[in-house]
Amino acid sequence: MKLLKFLVVVLFAVTAVGVISASRNVSGQAVTEAPTGFDNKTNGMIDQLAFDTARKAFEERDTIEEGLGPVYNAQSCAECHQSPTTGGISQITVLRAGHRDRNGNFVEAPGGSLVQDRAIHPSLQEVITLDENITTFRTSLNVLGDGFVEAIADETLLEIARNQERRGGPIAGQAIQVPVLEAPGITRVGRFGWKNQHASLLSFSADAYLNEMGITNRLLRTENTSWGRSVAAFDPVPEIEDQEDDIELFTRFMRASKPPSRDEAIANTIEARAGAQLFNQIGCAVCHVPTIVTAPPGTSLNGGTFIVPPALGSKAIHPFSDFLLHDVGTGDGIVQNGGQATANKLRTSPLWGLRTRNRFMHDGLSLTLEDSIRRHRGTSTGSTNRFNQLNERQRAQVIRFLRSL
Ligand code: HEC
Ligand code: HEC
């Protein structure tokens, strides 16, 4: 059975850049293409009216009276996830910090590694001190289509990791088990965030509502401190502040959203097609996996709190990621949910929607695609060298292909 599923995945991977006709996955379910588009339209999981309601919650700006802060980063989810449509990316980065202890273990900055950039009172502003000498920026991420990513079975991600291991060498990605906040005691393979710190969109929503906006909610009930100091004297709203269960609406919006679409006009050029082949040949696709199939409808996820609906189940998606952690030589030294071994690892960036970005890599410090490829060292040195050995026209073809994503 496993072999069969593996074959199906490989078959898809091979045909990934073309059109996939309906096929069958292990359970005999018809596999169809997930819809795509930057069009503010539902993927069919809920109707358009319900989708628009959920999207508005994601766009809504919160005020101090509604619980914003005391320390926070922005007033709405869409402030950082917006381009070209709500749920896409933005140029906004967030700041993380910490240091190493005597044993070399990462220790977060006071009050957590996320350093909030804003506060509702000047005395609460967090500022990095010299002790916290590990710092990084993290760009915001696309959330469109993330319902399909949530619906990938753990086993599928573990199979991709085993598959990488079979190729030998250190290229194998690491899957980490992370807590599912809405199902206490349950863990799942992490897939969201630069460090794969979450596996569930409801958990991520609760985390972001508290840490990016300062809104306490049913899953995370305690306000952040300002650099370790209590903010109680400045907090006018009693916990919990998310009275209307907004985290449920954010989750619904993300689950019902469509993944980024490709620029077909570019994708269909001879140059981009050649680039897609080179992308496979030089080994980029080993980590940036072109096609993954989601679990069948009816599959129970997140400790039974989410059942894969027909709109999300048995769908072929093209995220160009393995959703695993790798050390490609760009590690930021920060540990979140994955333990000390993950300090210098990052999730393979999903390349769907890449054409909406102009600042690349976790820190947003690469301003060209060529630079982001050349920064890949560590376990991806092989494919970087193969890229560098391509002739000028071939390199341009790879870039052309990337610009179609
Ligand atoms: C200040 C900007 C900012 C705000 C506000 C914000 N986010 Fe994010 N979001 C980010 C950044 C930065 C990341 C990457 C974080 C990381 O992994 O270090 C991210 C990552 C995510 C991811 C992971 C996406 C993926 O595919 O891996 C989800 C889901 C998400 N945010 C949801 C939300 C929700 C829901 C809200 C509103 C409650 C929100 N965000 C508010 C900046 C923001
Ligand atoms: C060993 C796994 C691995 C291989 C092989 C690999 N990548 Fe990556 N890629 C990553 C990781 C991990 C990141 C995130 C690194 C970071 O942000 O510091 C990344 C990031 C990127 C980004 C930046 C995307 C963004 O949204 O900022 C691009 C572009 C990219 N890779 C293209 C390629 C190309 C082209 C190749 C082949 C020449 C390749 N990668 C090979 C793992 C890999």
Side-chain angles (χ1 to χ4, degrees):
M1 289 298 264
K2 281 231 180 83
L3 183 69
L4 221 166
K5 179 162 156 202
F6 169 67
L7 284 177
V8 172
V9 171
V10 168
L11 189 82
F12 278 130
V14 170
T15 55
V17 270
V19 178
I20 296 172
S21 53
S23 180
R24 298 196 172 265
N25 69 4
V26 243
S27 22
Q29 212 97 33
V31 173
T32 50
E33 281 287 315
T36 62
F38 289 109
D39 58 5
N40 282 329
K41 294 270 161 47
T42 172
N43 62 29
M45 186 188 94
I46 50 179
D47 66 30
Q48 189 61 36
L49 202 67
F51 181 72
D52 289 340
T53 304
R55 175 174 54 80
K56 283 185 189 123
F58 192 91
E59 291 167 350
E60 189 198 330
R61 291 167 71 94
D62 282 313
T63 60
I64 295 174
E65 294 68 40
E66 290 163 323
L68 181 72
V71 292
Y72 68 106
N73 278 328
Q75 281 182 270
S76 74
C77 306
E79 222 176 291
C80 301
H81 300 283
Q82 190 275 331
S83 173
T85 55
T86 301
I89 60 127
S90 73
Q91 77 280 26
I92 295 179
T93 54
V94 300
L95 177 58
R96 284 193 184 262
H99 64 271
R100 284 184 194 281
D101 67 13
R102 276 195 210 130
N103 302 321
N105 289 328
F106 176 78
V107 182
E108 330 186 293
S113 70
L114 188 71
V115 180
Q116 278 81 13
D117 285 313
R118 305 187 201 179
I120 64 170
H121 189 275
S123 66
L124 298 178
Q125 183 54 51
E126 298 200 296
V127 179
I128 300 213
T129 54
L130 290 175
D131 309 335
E132 309 304 331
N133 55 9
I134 298 178
T135 55
T136 189
F137 291 123
R138 296 264 184 85
T139 65
S140 87
L141 290 164
N142 164 71
V143 305
L144 295 171
D146 271 356
F148 296 93
V149 178
E150 188 177 33
I152 299 170
D154 279 4
E155 183 51 35
T156 303
L157 298 179
L158 296 171
E159 183 60 29
I160 292 173
R162 283 195 293 270
N163 204 6
Q164 291 170 342
E165 220 167 282
R166 279 185 216 111
R167 301 176 72 96
I171 201 147
Q174 182 186 353
I176 59 168
Q177 290 284 337
V178 298
V180 176
L181 303 182
E182 62 271 33
I186 298 288
T187 63
R188 198 174 179 234
V189 174
R191 61 206 59 201
F192 296 121
W194 283 104
K195 290 275 177 177
N196 277 344
Q197 60 266 33
H198 282 294
S200 135
L201 289 173
L202 186 58
S203 297
F204 212 117
S205 296
D207 184 336
Y209 215 18
L210 175 67
N211 291 303
E212 305 291 1
M213 296 169 64
I215 311 271
T216 51
N217 55 73
R218 67 183 160 94
L219 296 177
L220 292 170
R221 297 167 165 263
T222 313
E223 287 286 7
N224 274 306
T225 63
S226 167
W227 209 249
R229 289 165 298 142
S230 167
V231 296
F234 297 87
D235 186 9
V237 188
E239 292 12 295
I240 59 172
E241 293 159 339
D242 179 15
Q243 286 296 329
E244 270 142 34
D245 208 13
D246 287 342
I247 56 172
E248 187 64 40
L249 288 171
F250 305 151
T251 304
R252 209 175 292 166
F253 163 69
M254 296 190 283
R255 283 181 179 157
S257 65
K258 292 183 191 174
S261 55
R262 291 189 66 180
D263 184 327
E264 295 298 339
I266 297 182
N268 290 326
T269 59
I270 292 168
E271 296 296 289
R273 282 171 182 273
Q277 278 185 357
L278 289 167
F279 184 83
N280 287 330
Q281 279 163 22
I282 63 178
C284 310
V286 174
C287 298
H288 295 282
V289 177
T291 301
I292 298 180
V293 176
T294 62
T299 307
S300 166
L301 302 179
N302 301 341
T305 57
F306 183 52
I307 308 296
V308 176
L312 300 182
S314 294
K315 296 288 178 197
I317 55 169
H318 308 291
F320 293 91
S321 177
D322 53 10
F323 300 99
L324 299 170
L325 297 177
H326 295 269
D327 180 354
V328 296
T330 56
D332 58 12
I334 307 269
V335 175
Q336 288 175 242
N337 275 345
Q340 295 295 332
T342 62
N344 284 320
K345 293 184 178 177
L346 290 155
R347 176 184 74 168
T348 303
S349 305
L351 300 181
W352 58 9
L354 186 66
R355 65 193 165 110
T356 66
R357 278 193 180 281
N358 68 353
R359 302 178 191 190
F360 309 105
M361 307 294 266
H362 68 278
D363 48 16
L365 295 180
S366 289
L367 300 183
T368 62
L369 288 170
E370 287 84 347
D371 183 58
S372 54
I373 296 171
R374 296 212 171 92
R375 273 177 77 192
H376 285 62
R377 307 305 306 181
T379 55
S380 60
T381 302
S383 65
T384 306
N385 289 345
R386 286 189 288 277
F387 176 79
N388 289 334
Q389 283 153 14
L390 298 176
N391 64 38
E392 208 181 319
R393 169 147 191 226
Q394 290 172 317
R395 287 202 299 273
Q397 289 171 332
V398 173
I399 301 298
R400 190 88 177 127
F401 160 69
L402 291 173
R403 295 299 304 159
S404 76
L405 298 177

